[in-house]
Amino acid sequence: MANPRFIFAIPCLLALLICHGVSGRRTAPLSESGSPSSVPAPISRRNMLANSFGLTPPMGWNSWNHFACDVDEKIIKAAADALVSTGLAKLGYRYVNIDDCWAEINRDDKGNLVPKNSTFPSGIKALAEYVHSKNLKLGIYSSAGYLTCSKTMPGSLGYEEQDAKTFANWGIDYLKYDNCNHDGSKPTVRFPVMTRALMKAGRRIFYSLCEWGDMHPALWGYTVGNSWRTTNDIADTWDSMISRADQNEVYAEYARPGGWNDPDMLEVGNGGMTNDEYVIHFSLWAISKAPLIIGCDVRNATKETLRILTNREVIAVNQDSHGVQAKKVRMEGDIEIWAGPLSGYRVAVVLLNRGPIRYPITAEWDDIGIPLKSTLVVRDLWEHKTLRTRFDGNFTAMVNPHACKMYIFKPVG
Ligand code: GLA
């Protein structure tokens, strides 16, 4: 049944958007500080999407970054198996998400989506049963358009209720909803139609909005979905990864339990960056409270890839109950400090060196929101060591080129 609070929220949302003049693609201006100038104050958490999902950022795996359209049911099953055998599932990576290209180009004569016979011959329901039998969850993909982005299968525009029911009947747990091949109307019009359809479909489904940040979804996504992409597609390169972290950071104020900024899926393990760069990728996604959706071939993940993806201490920062996204608190040339509060008066800190030269980086208590007179205990999350020294006023570490260090600072006095 549709939730009355939600039905009330839709007209309010649209009124809010009209009042703040958010329209067109990439038109809302950014102020000098990098924040959208027409941004209303962050909205109360009470307005979050009423499916009570996503109280911490979602974790899982998705087929797109590694397999693109070369995906089939064997790969999905093997990915589920690998999440279990590597221990990733136990750490929280529970969603197994099929991206684009899973359906036939034509619906059946009743208008239903049809799994592609050549690649998903057993159907999606059987796949969901398999994935559920491993204590995992199955995600699927569609677009708020007539075709998905690959143009190889139909989108859900005009079929929202029917498709949401199909997904619910199949046992789907997560929907990534893209923005390709539509009728020219705004995402703020098309995406809430699927929200309503999901609410009526009779199964709780995590709703991941993928409109690429076009209309600043951080400003309106909280009543429409559980996460919203803030960027165009990530590629497996340093420039692509770091620029997505930057773009996503602008919206830090808008992330909260139930609704997360999504700078796109992880490329860790796909081979286009150094291990140090992948450590930066994972650290920044974790501290930014981004969805941790693995994008490599988990069946063949190397030891080093698993060392990164299974770092419990970094995952715990991402999943912290406070749900506050970190911000850049100091930038000097290639040197940056990212910091965000955690539960228990602790602070997560990333010291980031984006440049070509090894450099000492100093975090001042003032910068990271810790009372000036505090003495801190420092835990290094990549070395898995608590430093012997206690620190007063500031903390300095040497950081290699294109590398980072990640810590939890905890006041003891
Ligand atoms: C868009 C999305 C990607 C992926 C592809 C699939 O580009 O942003 O994440 O889902 O479509 O075609």
Side-chain angles (χ1 to χ4, degrees):
M1 249 230 325
N3 183 309
R5 187 171 60 171
F6 172 72
I7 290 171
F8 174 72
I10 290 293
C12 293
L13 162 72
L14 295 176
L16 180 77
L17 289 165
I18 291 160
C19 290
H20 287 280
V22 180
S23 64
R25 289 169 73 95
R26 301 187 193 293
T27 49
L30 295 183
S31 70
E32 272 168 24
S33 66
S35 307
S37 58
S38 59
V39 174
I43 314 291
S44 152
R45 288 171 192 213
R46 282 180 292 117
N47 288 331
M48 76 185 191
L49 182 61
N51 65 4
S52 63
F53 254 137
L55 295 179
T56 60
M59 295 174 66
W61 174 88
N62 171 293
S63 54
W64 183 255
N65 283 359
H66 190 85
F67 295 98
C69 270
D70 288 328
V71 63
D72 59 34
E73 64 185 36
K74 282 196 195 123
I75 291 174
I76 302 295
K77 282 181 168 178
D81 295 345
L83 287 177
V84 174
S85 64
T86 52
L88 287 162
K90 253 199 220 145
L91 293 170
Y93 295 96
R94 285 245 144 76
Y95 288 107
V96 181
N97 293 350
I98 316 167
D99 208 278
D100 205 348
C101 312
W102 59 268
E104 296 286 358
I105 184 79
N106 292 315
R107 292 173 178 268
D108 70 11
D109 51 12
K110 295 199 181 83
N112 294 313
L113 288 166
V114 182
K116 199 168 170 184
N117 192 40
S118 58
T119 47
F120 290 86
S122 318
I124 306 296
K125 200 177 176 113
L127 198 51
E129 276 161 20
Y130 183 84
V131 167
H132 292 157
S133 76
K134 306 258 158 189
N135 200 18
L136 299 171
K137 292 164 181 287
L138 187 67
I140 210 158
Y141 163 98
S142 185
S143 178
Y146 301 118
L147 290 169
T148 62
C149 296
S150 68
K151 298 193 179 160
T152 64
M153 59 171 277
S156 296
L157 189 62
Y159 289 85
E160 291 85 353
E161 288 203 5
Q162 185 166 358
D163 290 355
K165 272 189 204 132
T166 301
F167 297 150
N169 288 339
W170 284 345
I172 293 294
D173 303 294
Y174 182 117
L175 173 66
K176 172 175 169 183
Y177 203 46
D178 218 327
N179 195 25
C180 282
N181 302 310
H182 52 76
D183 58 0
S185 62
K186 296 175 190 177
T188 47
V189 173
R190 283 174 288 114
F191 281 70
V193 182
M194 184 52 93
T195 317
R196 284 191 288 270
L198 290 171
M199 293 301 220
K200 283 169 76 175
R203 184 178 174 88
R204 287 174 66 226
I205 296 179
F206 186 101
Y207 185 25
S208 154
L209 314 181
C210 180
E211 64 82 274
W212 319 307
D214 278 8
M215 285 190 61
H216 303 292
L219 310 193
W220 49 269
Y222 57 93
T223 52
V224 179
N226 301 110
S227 66
W228 43 85
R229 279 271 295 276
T230 53
T231 70
N232 270 320
D233 291 8
I234 194 168
D236 187 17
T237 65
W238 163 258
D239 285 344
S240 174
M241 181 276 290
I242 203 72
S243 59
R244 266 137 201 85
D246 292 341
Q247 288 158 31
N248 188 64
E249 190 264 351
V250 172
Y251 299 103
E253 294 288 348
Y254 296 90
R256 78 286 302 273
W260 308 102
N261 290 315
D262 176 5
D264 206 356
M265 300 172 291
L266 296 166
E267 292 284 8
V268 176
N270 278 332
M273 289 181 247
T274 66
N275 284 332
D276 279 352
E277 290 168 345
Y278 282 142
V279 166
I280 293 176
H281 184 6
F282 196 64
S283 302
L284 291 183
W285 262 238
I287 204 170
S288 301
K289 304 292 188 283
L292 296 181
I293 306 293
I294 297 170
C296 70
D297 181 1
V298 266
R299 300 169 308 178
N300 299 307
T302 63
K303 236 174 129 185
E304 180 57 20
T305 296
L306 289 175
R307 180 186 79 88
I308 297 170
L309 296 174
T310 61
N311 186 324
R312 289 170 186 273
E313 299 194 71
V314 174
I315 292 171
V317 168
N318 180 258
Q319 298 290 303
D320 184 73
S321 58
H322 239 44
V324 177
Q325 181 175 331
K327 292 183 190 170
K328 295 186 200 196
V329 295
R330 196 176 263 253
M331 295 174 272
E332 282 168 20
D334 289 330
I335 298 311
E336 286 177 0
I337 301 174
W338 295 55
L342 298 174
S343 53
Y345 303 104
R346 300 165 307 148
V347 178
V349 177
V350 169
L351 305 182
L352 171 63
N353 182 353
R354 301 167 72 126
I357 299 162
R358 186 170 146 87
Y359 216 87
I361 305 183
T362 299
E364 304 283 348
W365 287 187
D366 195 23
D367 288 333
I368 58 176
I370 285 181
L372 290 184
K373 293 209 169 125
S374 312
T375 298
L376 298 194
V377 170
V378 173
R379 173 85 180 164
D380 184 323
L381 304 191
W382 285 105
E383 295 294 327
H384 302 291
K385 261 198 248 157
T386 302
L387 306 190
R388 281 217 210 109
T389 320
R390 294 183 166 197
F391 297 87
D392 294 302
N394 60 48
F395 171 82
T396 301
M398 288 300 293
V399 184
N400 286 335
H402 272 219
C404 76
K405 302 232 171 173
M406 186 166 183
Y407 302 98
I408 290 180
F409 289 3
K410 187 173 176 190
V412 285

